[in-house]
Amino acid sequence: MLYDVIIIGAGPAGVAATVYVARKKLKVLLITDSFGGQSIVSDDIQNWIGEKSISGFDLAKKLEDHVKNFNKEIEIKEGRQAVGIKKINCPDGLYECNFEVTTDQNNKYISKTLILASGARRRKLGVKGEQEFEGRGVAYCSTCDAPLFNGRDVAVVGGGNSGGEAVVDLLPYTNKIYLLNRSDILKADLVTQDQIRNNKKVSLIMNAEILEILGDQFVSGLKYKDNKTGEEKQIEVQGVFVEIGSIPNSEIVKDLVELDRFGQVVIDSKHATTSQPGIFAAGDITDDPYKQNNISAGDGVKAALAAYAYILQLHK
């Protein structure tokens, strides 16, 4: 079967794109390992528009239910990952190529267009306690989770823009913030640095190598090594925000579309187009600077409408 659109990923971007192309009565295939995206680990999301408070699990379930409301219009391959994409059938050059998607179960599907919405994965510290306490004090999104740490002492790991902005997000809520940076130089924007350095709530810990996140049922502390002295130290905190960047899930399209130096898919933000005609992208896989669920959903709608317009042009 030749699909009109194959959508890869079922976070907010992929689900929004799926709903919109389904309403256009196109032949649609959604390929995803699971529903919900990165926010599924959040206990309390307070900035999803229309919901005062919702857990990541409940948000994922609502996204899944919305998509499956269109199960007559679309085909869903759940529990699968796209592991390869290539161009095929290009008799008239670049513009009219079809795309073959291979999954981890070695199934192959062909489509006129693709919408990449496979998101990103948070860059992890890789230390003891990180995985055990994820969602129980270890967090990766200050915009999402800052209100959950009201009145608490927290640590932010990372001295770049992500770490600096996390500190700013946390300032209205937390009692004390420790910003731990691996080197002796902060790389956050100077304006952000000024906000951090001039606030009495914030303590800077430089040359810190994280060794372990401590706790019982929830996070209770953080162990690190001073890279200058070699001394191991410990601080008591009830939360650890890991803000050392993310890794876009773009490996399978690195030979098809333009990526920036961070591995993000470069898009025309007006139409969600990539450098490859027929391939569109939305959400955290792209170079959109704002990695937020609501923005991803809107960009998914944009990608769906752009793909629909592209298909109409093919049929002329």
Side-chain angles (χ1 to χ4, degrees), residues 56-75:
F57 177 84
D58 288 340
L59 175 59
K61 189 67 172 66
K62 286 194 171 190
L63 294 175
E64 180 179 358
D65 289 346
H66 198 167
V67 165
K68 290 183 176 178
N69 186 53
F70 293 93
N71 59 7
K72 293 182 180 178
E73 289 83 9
I74 63 175
E75 187 177 346

Side-chain angles (χ1 to χ4, degrees), residues 50-98:
E51 298 279 359
K52 292 180 181 179
S53 174
I54 187 170
S55 70
F57 177 84
D58 288 340
L59 175 59
K61 189 67 172 66
K62 286 194 171 190
L63 294 175
E64 180 179 358
D65 289 346
H66 198 167
V67 165
K68 290 183 176 178
N69 186 53
F70 293 93
N71 59 7
K72 293 182 180 178
E73 289 83 9
I74 63 175
E75 187 177 346
I76 302 172
K77 300 296 182 183
E78 191 177 354
R80 304 183 190 183
Q81 290 184 325
V83 296
I85 299 174
K86 65 180 182 180
K87 295 186 296 185
I88 60 172
N89 305 331
C90 304
D92 298 319
L94 186 68
Y95 189 77
E96 295 187 10
C97 289
N98 293 327

Side-chain angles (χ1 to χ4, degrees), residues 297-312:
D299 286 349
V301 172
K302 191 184 299 182
L305 296 177
Y308 179 63
Y310 177 90
I311 290 167
L312 290 181

Side-chain angles (χ1 to χ4, degrees), residues 24-253:
K24 296 296 184 183
K25 301 296 183 181
L26 300 176
K27 292 180 182 177
V28 183
L29 172 64
L30 172 64
I31 300 173
T32 186
D33 56 349
S34 61
F35 284 85
Q38 294 181 74
S39 292
I40 196 166
V41 300
S42 297
D43 288 333
D44 186 14
I45 300 169
Q46 298 182 357
N47 58 356
W48 178 250
I49 302 304
E51 298 279 359
K52 292 180 181 179
S53 174
I54 187 170
S55 70
F57 177 84
D58 288 340
L59 175 59
K61 189 67 172 66
K62 286 194 171 190
L63 294 175
E64 180 179 358
D65 289 346
H66 198 167
V67 165
K68 290 183 176 178
N69 186 53
F70 293 93
N71 59 7
K72 293 182 180 178
E73 289 83 9
I74 63 175
E75 187 177 346
I76 302 172
K77 300 296 182 183
E78 191 177 354
R80 304 183 190 183
Q81 290 184 325
V83 296
I85 299 174
K86 65 180 182 180
K87 295 186 296 185
I88 60 172
N89 305 331
C90 304
D92 298 319
L94 186 68
Y95 189 77
E96 295 187 10
C97 289
N98 293 327
F99 303 97
E100 181 183 82
V101 179
T102 303
T103 71
D104 54 355
Q105 298 183 12
N106 204 33
N107 300 116
K108 299 181 186 298
Y109 306 97
I110 300 172
S111 179
K112 300 173 188 175
T113 65
L114 298 179
I115 296 177
L116 307 173
S118 49
R121 55 198 186 273
R122 293 287 182 175
R123 196 179 298 277
K124 303 293 181 74
L125 290 167
V127 300
K128 184 179 179 181
E130 180 179 22
Q131 182 176 343
E132 292 88 333
F133 296 111
E134 184 170 340
R136 294 188 292 153
V138 173
Y140 298 89
C141 178
S142 58
T143 307
C144 312
D145 296 333
L148 302 179
F149 294 83
N150 193 48
R152 299 182 183 181
D153 295 347
V154 302
V156 174
V157 181
N161 281 328
S162 295
E165 290 165 7
V167 171
V168 173
D169 287 340
L170 288 160
L171 282 173
Y173 301 99
T174 51
N175 177 57
K176 177 75 175 178
I177 303 170
Y178 298 94
L179 176 61
L180 294 94
N181 189 42
R182 191 178 181 87
S183 70
D184 57 2
I185 299 174
L186 291 180
K187 296 182 179 179
D189 292 339
L190 293 179
V191 172
T192 305
Q193 288 194 41
D194 287 342
Q195 289 179 275
I196 293 171
R197 294 181 188 276
N198 294 330
N199 196 293
K200 294 180 180 179
K201 280 188 177 183
V202 183
S203 288
L204 296 178
I205 302 177
M206 311 300 281
N207 301 295
E209 179 183 346
I210 310 304
L211 299 177
E212 184 179 353
I213 296 171
L214 307 171
D216 183 10
Q217 292 185 324
F218 297 91
V219 167
S220 63
L222 183 68
K223 183 188 293 185
Y224 69 95
K225 182 175 74 173
D226 185 319
N227 282 328
K228 280 196 170 180
T229 66
E231 183 182 359
E232 292 187 6
K233 301 180 180 180
Q234 189 171 313
I235 53 176
E236 293 184 5
V237 292
Q238 293 80 55
V240 177
F241 282 79
V242 180
E243 297 288 351
I244 55 176
S246 60
I247 305 170
N249 297 318
S250 61
E251 293 87 350
I252 61 172
V253 292

